[in-house]
CSV table of all heavy atoms in Angstrom, one decimal:
chain,number,residue,atom,x,y,z
V,31,SER,N,-5.7,-14.4,5.0
V,31,SER,CA,-6.4,-15.6,4.4
V,31,SER,C,-7.3,-14.9,3.2
V,31,SER,O,-7.4,-13.7,3.2
V,31,SER,CB,-7.3,-16.3,5.4
V,31,SER,OG,-8.4,-15.4,5.9
V,32,SER,N,-8.0,-15.8,2.6
V,32,SER,CA,-8.8,-15.2,1.5
V,32,SER,C,-10.0,-14.3,2.0
V,32,SER,O,-10.4,-13.5,1.4
V,32,SER,CB,-9.4,-16.5,0.6
V,32,SER,OG,-10.2,-17.3,1.6
V,35,TYR,N,-9.4,-10.6,1.9
V,35,TYR,CA,-9.7,-9.8,0.7
V,35,TYR,C,-11.2,-9.2,0.7
V,35,TYR,O,-11.4,-8.3,-0.2
V,35,TYR,CB,-9.4,-10.6,-0.5
V,35,TYR,CG,-8.1,-11.0,-0.6
V,35,TYR,CD1,-7.5,-12.2,-0.2
V,35,TYR,CD2,-7.0,-10.0,-0.9
V,35,TYR,CE1,-6.3,-12.6,-0.3
V,35,TYR,CE2,-5.6,-10.4,-0.8
V,35,TYR,CZ,-5.2,-11.6,-0.5
V,35,TYR,OH,-4.0,-12.0,-0.6
V,37,ASP,N,-12.4,-7.8,3.4
V,37,ASP,CA,-12.2,-6.6,4.2
V,37,ASP,C,-10.7,-6.3,4.2
V,37,ASP,O,-9.8,-6.7,5.0
V,37,ASP,CB,-12.5,-7.0,5.6
V,37,ASP,CG,-12.4,-5.6,6.5
V,37,ASP,OD1,-12.2,-4.5,5.9
V,37,ASP,OD2,-12.7,-5.8,7.6
V,40,ARG,N,-8.0,-5.4,6.8
V,40,ARG,CA,-7.4,-6.5,7.7
V,40,ARG,C,-5.8,-6.8,7.2
V,40,ARG,O,-5.2,-7.5,7.9
V,40,ARG,CB,-8.2,-7.8,7.7
V,40,ARG,CG,-9.4,-7.6,8.4
V,40,ARG,CD,-10.2,-8.9,8.4
V,40,ARG,NE,-9.4,-9.9,9.1
V,40,ARG,CZ,-9.9,-11.1,9.3
V,40,ARG,NH1,-11.1,-11.5,9.1
V,40,ARG,NH2,-9.1,-11.9,9.9
V,42,PRO,N,-2.1,-6.1,6.3
V,42,PRO,CA,-1.0,-5.4,7.1
V,42,PRO,C,-0.7,-4.0,6.6
V,42,PRO,O,-0.4,-3.1,7.4
V,42,PRO,CB,0.3,-6.3,7.0
V,42,PRO,CG,-0.4,-7.7,6.9
V,42,PRO,CD,-1.5,-7.5,6.0
V,48,ASP,N,-1.6,6.0,6.5
V,48,ASP,CA,-1.3,7.5,6.7
V,48,ASP,C,0.1,7.8,6.4
V,48,ASP,O,0.5,8.9,5.8
V,48,ASP,CB,-1.8,7.9,8.0
V,48,ASP,CG,-3.3,7.9,8.3
V,48,ASP,OD1,-4.0,8.0,7.3
V,48,ASP,OD2,-3.8,7.9,9.4
V,59,THR,N,9.0,10.5,-5.1
V,59,THR,CA,9.1,9.0,-5.5
V,59,THR,C,9.0,8.3,-4.1
V,59,THR,O,9.6,8.7,-3.1
V,59,THR,CB,10.4,8.7,-6.1
V,59,THR,OG1,10.5,9.3,-7.5
V,59,THR,CG2,10.4,7.2,-6.6
V,60,VAL,N,8.2,7.3,-4.1
V,60,VAL,CA,8.0,6.5,-2.8
V,60,VAL,C,8.2,5.1,-3.3
V,60,VAL,O,7.5,4.6,-4.1
V,60,VAL,CB,6.7,6.7,-2.1
V,60,VAL,CG1,6.5,5.9,-0.9
V,60,VAL,CG2,6.6,8.2,-1.7
V,62,VAL,N,7.8,1.2,-1.6
V,62,VAL,CA,7.2,0.5,-0.5
V,62,VAL,C,7.7,-1.0,-0.6
V,62,VAL,O,7.5,-1.5,-1.6
V,62,VAL,CB,5.6,0.6,-0.5
V,62,VAL,CG1,5.1,-0.2,0.7
V,62,VAL,CG2,5.3,2.0,-0.4
V,68,CYS,N,0.9,-8.8,1.9
V,68,CYS,CA,0.6,-7.6,2.8
V,68,CYS,C,-0.3,-6.5,2.3
V,68,CYS,O,-0.9,-5.7,2.9
V,68,CYS,CB,1.8,-7.0,3.4
V,68,CYS,SG,2.7,-5.9,2.3
V,78,VAL,N,-3.9,5.8,-3.0
V,78,VAL,CA,-3.4,6.9,-3.7
V,78,VAL,C,-4.6,7.5,-4.6
V,78,VAL,O,-4.6,8.6,-4.6
V,78,VAL,CB,-2.2,6.4,-4.7
V,78,VAL,CG1,-2.0,7.5,-5.7
V,78,VAL,CG2,-1.0,6.0,-3.9
V,80,GLN,N,-7.7,7.4,-3.9
V,80,GLN,CA,-8.7,7.9,-2.9
V,80,GLN,C,-8.2,9.3,-2.4
V,80,GLN,O,-8.9,10.1,-2.0
V,80,GLN,CB,-9.0,7.0,-1.7
V,80,GLN,CG,-9.8,5.7,-2.2
V,80,GLN,CD,-9.9,4.7,-1.1
V,80,GLN,OE1,-9.2,4.7,-0.1
V,80,GLN,NE2,-10.7,3.6,-1.4
V,81,ALA,N,-6.9,9.5,-2.3
V,81,ALA,CA,-6.2,10.6,-1.8
V,81,ALA,C,-6.2,11.8,-2.9
V,81,ALA,O,-5.8,12.9,-2.6
V,81,ALA,CB,-4.8,10.3,-1.4
V,83,TYR,N,-4.7,11.5,-6.0
V,83,TYR,CA,-3.6,11.5,-6.9
V,83,TYR,C,-3.7,10.8,-8.3
V,83,TYR,O,-2.8,10.7,-9.0
V,83,TYR,CB,-2.4,10.9,-6.1
V,83,TYR,CG,-1.8,11.6,-5.0
V,83,TYR,CD1,-2.2,11.4,-3.7
V,83,TYR,CD2,-1.0,12.7,-5.2
V,83,TYR,CE1,-1.6,12.1,-2.7
V,83,TYR,CE2,-0.5,13.5,-4.2
V,83,TYR,CZ,-0.8,13.1,-2.9
V,83,TYR,OH,-0.3,13.9,-1.9
V,87,PRO,N,-1.8,15.9,-13.2
V,87,PRO,CA,-0.6,15.4,-13.9
V,87,PRO,C,-0.2,14.1,-13.1
V,87,PRO,O,1.0,13.6,-13.4
V,87,PRO,CB,0.4,16.5,-13.7
V,87,PRO,CG,0.1,17.2,-12.4
V,87,PRO,CD,-1.5,17.1,-12.3
V,92,VAL,N,2.5,0.9,-10.4
V,92,VAL,CA,2.9,-0.3,-9.5
V,92,VAL,C,3.8,-1.2,-10.3
V,92,VAL,O,3.5,-1.6,-11.3
V,92,VAL,CB,1.8,-1.0,-9.0
V,92,VAL,CG1,2.0,-2.2,-8.1
V,92,VAL,CG2,0.8,0.0,-8.3
V,93,ALA,N,5.0,-1.5,-9.7
V,93,ALA,CA,6.0,-2.4,-10.4
V,93,ALA,C,6.3,-3.5,-9.4
V,93,ALA,O,6.3,-3.3,-8.2
V,93,ALA,CB,7.2,-1.7,-10.7
V,98,LEU,N,11.6,-5.1,-12.2
V,98,LEU,CA,12.5,-4.0,-12.3
V,98,LEU,C,13.9,-4.3,-12.8
V,98,LEU,O,14.4,-5.3,-12.6
V,98,LEU,CB,12.6,-3.4,-11.0
V,98,LEU,CG,11.4,-2.8,-10.3
V,98,LEU,CD1,11.6,-2.4,-8.9
V,98,LEU,CD2,10.9,-1.6,-11.1
Side-chain angles (χ1 to χ4, degrees):
S31 66
S32 60
Y35 298 105
D37 184 5
R40 294 183 55 175
D48 292 337
T59 302
V60 176
V62 177
C68 75
V78 173
Q80 291 168 357
Y83 290 102
V92 178
L98 294 178

